[in-house]
């Protein structure tokens, strides 16, 4: 099992409303499609100026597939949202940790998904 960081930008998609409506949804996966596997864990990071951080833990429940609807990219995978982290792990808290503060996805990066190193 691998771990992933997936991003949600509240300006483009209200992930909180989506999770409240359904515990399963698809997610854009433009990179690393060949690396993900069923059962991999996803740490969902909300990005933007208002309280960015890790808010949800999800599980990949489908292999990547192509979609005709390309509003968020043509490649998708299905996620099951397992639980909400409450309180969330906010970016300042993540960056203050000696090891986590060096992890590029917590410092800000352009992209939708990234693998979490095993260590």
């Amino acid at each position: 099992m691998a771990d992933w960081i997936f991003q949600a930008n509240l300006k483009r998609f209200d992930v909180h409303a989506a999770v409240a409506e359904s515990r399963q949804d698809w997610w854009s996966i433009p990179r690393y499609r060949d690396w993900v596997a069923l059962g991999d864990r996803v740490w969902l990071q909300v990005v933007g100026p208002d309280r960015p951080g890790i808010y949800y833990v999800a599980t990949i429940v489908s292999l990547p597939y192509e979609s005709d609807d390309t509003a968020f990219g043509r490649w998708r995978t299905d996620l099951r949202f397992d639980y909400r982290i409450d309180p969330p792990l906010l970016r300042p808290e993540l960056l203050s940790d000696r090891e986590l503060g060096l992890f590029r996805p917590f410092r800000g990066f352009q992209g939708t998904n990234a693998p979490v190193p095993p260590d």
Side-chain angles (χ1 to χ4, degrees):
M1 179 176 79
D3 285 273
W4 297 90
I5 297 289
F6 282 19
Q7 285 190 25
N9 184 332
L10 296 179
K11 288 182 181 180
R12 297 192 67 206
F13 178 71
D14 186 349
V15 66
H16 304 304
V19 171
E21 183 177 316
S22 175
R23 301 302 286 176
Q24 188 164 320
D25 205 344
W26 62 267
W27 211 263
S28 177
I29 186 162
R31 303 179 319 160
Y32 305 108
R33 289 186 300 278
D34 297 334
W35 295 19
V36 300
L38 296 174
D40 282 358
R41 184 173 33 222
V42 173
W43 301 87
L44 191 65
Q45 176 175 234
V46 172
V47 298
D50 187 33
R51 297 178 46 85
I54 304 291
Y55 281 77
Y56 298 96
V57 176
T59 301
I60 292 178
V61 295
S62 79
L63 294 176
Y65 57 91
E66 284 186 89
S67 171
D68 293 334
D69 177 5
T70 60
F72 286 95
R74 99 180 164 175
W75 288 96
R76 299 177 176 181
T77 189
D78 295 330
L79 300 180
R80 180 188 67 234
F81 296 98
D82 298 319
Y83 55 90
R84 181 177 178 143
I85 298 170
D86 189 20
L89 302 170
L90 298 179
R91 180 178 285 159
E93 180 181 8
L94 295 166
L95 293 176
S96 70
D97 183 90
R98 198 174 85 179
E99 290 184 47
L100 293 176
L102 299 175
F103 187 43
R104 187 169 176 249
F106 297 150
R107 294 182 11 239
F109 77 111
Q110 296 295 318
T112 303
N113 52 311
V116 176
D119 58 338

